[in-house]
Amino acid sequence: MRYSEIMIRFGELSTKGKNKMRFINKLKKNIQDVLSIYPEVRVTADRDRAHVYLRGAQYEEVAESLKVIFGIQSFSPVYKVEKNVDALKAAVQEIMTGLYYDGMTFKISAKRSDHNFELDSRDLNFILGDAVYDVLPNIQAQMKQPDVNLQVEIRSEAAYISHETIKGAGGLPVGTAGKGMLMLSGGIDSPVAGYLALKRGVDIEAVHFASPPYTSPGALKKAEDLTRKLTRFGGNIQFIEVPFTEIQEEIKNKAPEAYLMTLTRRFMMRITDRIREERKGLVIINGESLGQVASQTMESMQAINAVTTTPVIRPVVTMDKLEIIDIAQAIDTFEISIQPFEDCCTIFAPDRPKTNPKIKNVEQYETRLDVEGLVERAVAGIMIREITPVEEAQDAVDQLIDDLL
Ligand code: ATP
Ligand code: MG
């Protein structure tokens, strides 16, 4: 017998009263996005549950995808069975025979949602239990904590049997907490910051600064691949590429080396904030971690943050590197992050950046630059694409294009 569908239980959102349907619809859309890599699959949702209809897709693969989607409390694979007693008996016999091991205990928990069905739940428990004894005479029934609790539900269209509950990722469905702009480099920290924001329901858009020809297409692809990894937790993500070459060259030509980093970061912050405003985001998210590098002393953070009053969320700010790496490994971004493509900051990085930049000096150096014009041109040049979880398909297309050229 093969699983026909998966029943999904909601997490924290079930307590959210009035907003409940909004939460559920978001989660449904997120599940659809994530499962778009299995084109056969269909998703529905009502107030109590969501259902994934496999329609031929491999249960094990779909389950792997479901395990990491935020907002799912748990889920159970389900067998769909014809709604008559003989079919039900045969099904429980087949399922239990497949599961059986020496000393196993079990119980049947029948539930009759369709009250026109000929047997009530008590009768069903007995009759189906007996059917199991017929094929497994040595099995023991046990009401409290049996090894297998076979749940049988009679609904109007069919009967459903399940026995397994798999823990979901918890958290909140992505998109239920509003939108934030994730400053995404190709490094280890910012994807982890993005993941942690997703976990609390933030809908992220990835903002990536690229400085071709100083940065390579490889660095850009790396940022896109990291974004694609993040789509597994809540669906598609807008990827915003910002042309940053002009600004970096200007700063390099006109400001003292020790202040390159601070000035660069202030531009990134201004531009991200401008994009946020246009796209109706509420916060900025970055991967800053206290004390990790020169840009991340508290003095630096203050100088960089001074260009905006928008809340800047730093999910990894007090974590140490090893903690961050642990998460990066768990979410499968680490291997991509350590690919050796230089991003714009490494290339223009001074040997000895200022660890305690003075805002007064920073502002003085900025008078040498056309800050407003530079920001405006960068924002005008952004390129936006939607990143979806469909990896293989996209890679195949990329490969084809490479082969043709
Ligand atoms: P990460 O591992 O995320 O690159 P990092 O330890 O290298 O972080 P920095 O290089 O100082 O730290 O960058 C601090 C933060 O600034 C990053 O976490 C990211 O949020 C943002 N940032 C840096 N470079 C870029 C970029 N090219 N595009 C977008 N955001 C960037
Ligand atoms: Mg970096």
Side-chain angles (χ1 to χ4, degrees):
M1 259 172 97
R2 289 182 60 180
Y3 291 125
S4 57
E5 63 172 272
I6 301 172
M7 189 191 71
I8 293 172
R9 299 173 198 84
F10 305 138
E12 279 175 63
L13 64 90
S14 43
T15 59
K16 296 277 176 193
K18 262 209 320 264
N19 277 330
K20 187 162 170 172
M21 268 337 272
R22 190 173 66 85
F23 275 59
I24 291 171
N25 287 328
K26 264 279 191 287
L27 180 60
K28 176 182 159 192
K29 167 76 168 58
N30 295 349
I31 295 171
Q32 281 170 332
D33 275 2
V34 174
L35 298 187
S36 64
I37 51 178
Y38 315 104
E40 316 89 312
V41 164
R42 291 290 172 273
V43 183
T44 64
D46 56 43
R47 289 192 70 81
D48 305 308
R49 300 259 193 275
H51 300 271
V52 170
Y53 300 94
L54 291 168
R55 300 160 32 118
Q58 278 296 319
Y59 162 72
E60 287 75 13
E61 288 174 20
V62 175
E64 283 309 304
S65 294
L66 285 178
K67 274 183 199 164
V68 296
I69 301 177
F70 289 126
I72 294 180
Q73 183 71 34
S74 65
F75 60 88
S76 296
V78 176
Y79 298 103
K80 185 176 185 177
V81 179
E82 211 185 303
K83 210 171 61 170
N84 70 63
V85 179
D86 287 337
L88 278 164
K89 277 180 167 173
V92 297
Q93 286 174 334
E94 185 180 338
I95 294 166
M96 291 306 296
T97 309
L99 295 172
Y100 185 70
Y101 53 82
D102 239 8
M104 175 186 271
T105 61
F106 86 112
K107 95 185 207 190
I108 308 261
S109 308
K111 181 174 160 204
R112 188 179 59 158
S113 308
D114 168 16
H115 291 281
N116 296 321
F117 190 67
E118 54 194 290
L119 302 175
D120 69 13
S121 49
R122 253 178 66 93
D123 298 338
L124 273 167
N125 286 340
F126 278 118
I127 289 176
L128 297 180
D130 279 344
V132 173
Y133 290 128
D134 285 347
V135 288
L136 300 169
N138 293 326
I139 199 167
Q140 295 285 320
Q142 183 171 305
M143 293 305 109
K144 265 199 189 145
Q145 297 189 323
D147 297 323
V148 174
N149 179 3
L150 203 60
Q151 287 149 293
V152 179
E153 185 176 353
I154 312 291
R155 284 193 243 152
S156 55
E157 69 290 358
Y160 296 87
I161 305 179
S162 66
H163 64 87
E164 219 184 329
T165 297
I166 293 131
K167 198 165 168 293
L172 295 168
V174 170
T176 52
K179 181 152 77 179
M181 317 309 286
L182 171 68
M183 300 175 71
L184 183 85
S185 65
I188 296 167
D189 305 328
S190 41
V192 172
Y195 162 78
L196 293 169
L198 289 170
K199 182 169 188 170
R200 295 315 298 161
V202 181
D203 186 7
I204 60 175
E205 295 194 345
V207 178
H208 177 74
F209 293 84
S211 304
Y214 306 106
T215 56
S216 65
L220 183 64
K221 174 152 194 307
K222 192 174 159 186
E224 288 175 314
D225 287 346
L226 288 168
T227 305
R228 184 165 292 114
K229 284 286 179 192
L230 293 178
T231 63
R232 291 172 304 150
F233 306 104
N236 303 356
I237 296 176
Q238 305 299 321
F239 180 88
I240 303 170
E241 177 188 344
V242 184
F244 205 50
T245 314
E246 186 193 3
I247 291 176
Q248 293 212 283
E249 287 176 338
E250 271 291 289
I251 297 174
K252 180 107 188 152
N253 290 335
K254 300 200 174 142
E257 172 123 335
Y259 273 84
L260 291 188
M261 189 274 306
T262 312
L263 292 169
T264 306
R265 287 308 152 97
R266 280 165 64 94
F267 271 99
M268 284 189 181
M269 191 65 94
R270 286 190 185 97
I271 293 165
T272 305
D273 202 29
R274 199 68 66 88
I275 298 169
R276 174 201 64 76
E277 205 178 330
E278 278 180 17
R279 299 180 61 78
K280 303 200 166 47
L282 296 167
V283 299
I284 294 170
I285 300 147
N286 71 22
E288 284 174 338
S289 174
L290 201 52
Q292 233 187 59
V293 288
S295 63
Q296 297 172 10
T297 63
M298 290 207 273
E299 290 85 351
S300 275
M301 282 187 195
Q302 193 174 44
I304 295 163
N305 211 150
V307 300
T308 178
T309 55
T310 299
V312 179
I313 294 181
R314 300 174 174 85
V316 301
V317 73
T318 59
M319 291 186 191
D320 53 53
K321 196 73 189 183
L322 291 178
E323 289 177 274
I324 299 172
I325 289 176
D326 275 350
I327 300 178
Q329 273 165 338
I331 65 173
D332 223 17
T333 54
F334 184 72
E335 291 300 319
I336 300 175
S337 291
I338 61 175
Q339 289 171 4
F341 297 107
E342 306 278 5
D343 78 10
C344 60
C345 306
T346 0
I347 288 168
F348 285 90
D351 293 338
R352 229 173 274 122
K354 258 229 159 343
T355 53
N356 58 342
K358 301 274 173 301
I359 295 206
K360 233 177 63 207
N361 296 349
V362 174
E363 286 170 348
Q364 176 59 35
Y365 299 133
E366 281 177 354
T367 61
R368 302 174 186 175
L369 308 167
D370 170 21
V371 173
E372 190 47 37
L374 288 165
V375 168
E376 248 162 45
R377 282 193 291 283
V379 173
I382 61 172
M383 275 169 294
I384 305 176
R385 34 192 181 279
E386 181 163 76
I387 306 281
T388 71
V390 187
E391 203 159 352
E392 282 81 5
Q394 193 53 51
D395 279 353
V397 172
D398 290 347
Q399 190 57 49
L400 189 66
I401 292 171
D402 283 351
D403 292 348
L404 290 173
L405 291 177

